[in-house]
Amino acid sequence: MSDAALTEEYGYKPRWFTQSGLLGYTTDRYQTFFSTGPTSSLPSDEGAEISQVDLPELLDRADAAALSITELVIESAAGGQIEHTAPPNSSFGHAEILEDLRGALGRRSAVKAVAVALGGGSRHLWCDLTKRTASGRTKATFPLSDFMASAIPMLRSLRSGEYGEISGLVENLDLAEIEIRVTDEESED
């Protein structure tokens, strides 16, 4: 999954679309692309300014989406890097060390990457906040609903209504009704 800045005006109503053989989701503020291939196969937004996410903002995003963070990679203002993994059967949502880090680093740090626990916590979605991509750490595959509900809130600051819109789209998505069509262009390849 890749999160990209909006390059064309699509209007406010969130919708699904396809572009260059990729499935996409768009709102009035951003586009997200999904691929079964490596994140390097996704469109990049190289011209866009990289915005950094500080630890307090990331924790607010996780709380708003009810997500459990299990790993963090943080870069301090001085350039040092902190990597922390929550103890087994725990998450950062209630960890005392996270509050200590929030107090010590505050807005003088940037979160580079975060792992989010899915379901029972045995699977983790890795979100690279610098590249604004999400994937499994290995060749693990995840349902589209996991990316929508977990990765988008980590990669983007969402409005309160956008959480409901994402949930509604995922709940109403009936994969049995999706048909794969080959266009004339694709059949010539």
Side-chain angles (χ1 to χ4, degrees):
M1 184 193 117
S2 172
D3 181 50
L6 189 61
T7 56
E8 297 179 27
E9 183 59 46
Y10 287 103
Y12 177 73
K13 183 133 176 90
R15 67 179 183 88
W16 295 101
F17 68 97
T18 58
Q19 179 180 316
S20 302
L22 298 173
L23 177 64
Y25 169 76
T26 188
T27 72
D28 65 328
R29 298 186 312 128
Y30 64 91
Q31 294 177 347
T32 301
F33 292 94
F34 302 91
S35 172
T36 57
T39 58
S40 61
S41 69
L42 295 165
S44 66
D45 194 14
E46 294 181 20
E49 179 181 320
I50 301 290
S51 62
Q52 296 187 347
V53 179
D54 59 44
L55 183 57
E57 180 182 346
L58 182 81
L59 297 178
D60 290 345
R61 289 180 185 183
D63 287 343
L67 297 173
S68 297
I69 297 171
T70 57
E71 294 180 54
L72 280 173
V73 177
I74 305 168
E75 186 174 273
S76 71
Q81 190 164 298
I82 299 168
E83 296 181 27
H84 187 74
T85 303
N89 302 319
S90 175
S91 74
F92 283 121
H94 301 98
E96 194 173 299
I97 191 165
L98 191 56
E99 290 306 316
D100 291 345
L101 285 172
R102 181 195 303 241
L105 298 173
R107 303 212 180 273
R108 298 179 317 229
S109 63
V111 180
K112 297 297 183 185
V114 60
V116 178
L118 301 176
S122 61
R123 297 180 53 140
H124 302 273
L125 189 62
W126 186 252
C127 300
D128 183 325
L129 278 72
T130 303
K131 294 178 183 175
R132 292 176 30 166
T133 60
S135 64
R137 286 221 172 132
T138 59
K139 294 186 185 245
T141 58
F142 298 94
L144 181 60
S145 58
D146 286 344
F147 283 105
M148 293 292 292
S150 300
I152 291 176
M154 289 289 92
L155 298 173
R156 281 243 151 236
S157 178
L158 300 177
R159 299 177 192 134
S160 59
E162 288 177 309
Y163 294 103
E165 290 171 353
I166 288 171
S167 295
L169 279 171
V170 171
E171 289 171 5
N172 294 328
L173 184 62
D174 182 0
L175 296 177
E177 295 179 15
I178 295 177
E179 294 180 26
I180 298 175
R181 296 183 309 215
V182 176
T183 63
D184 290 336
E185 284 179 10
E186 292 172 338
S187 63
E188 293 175 4
D189 291 338

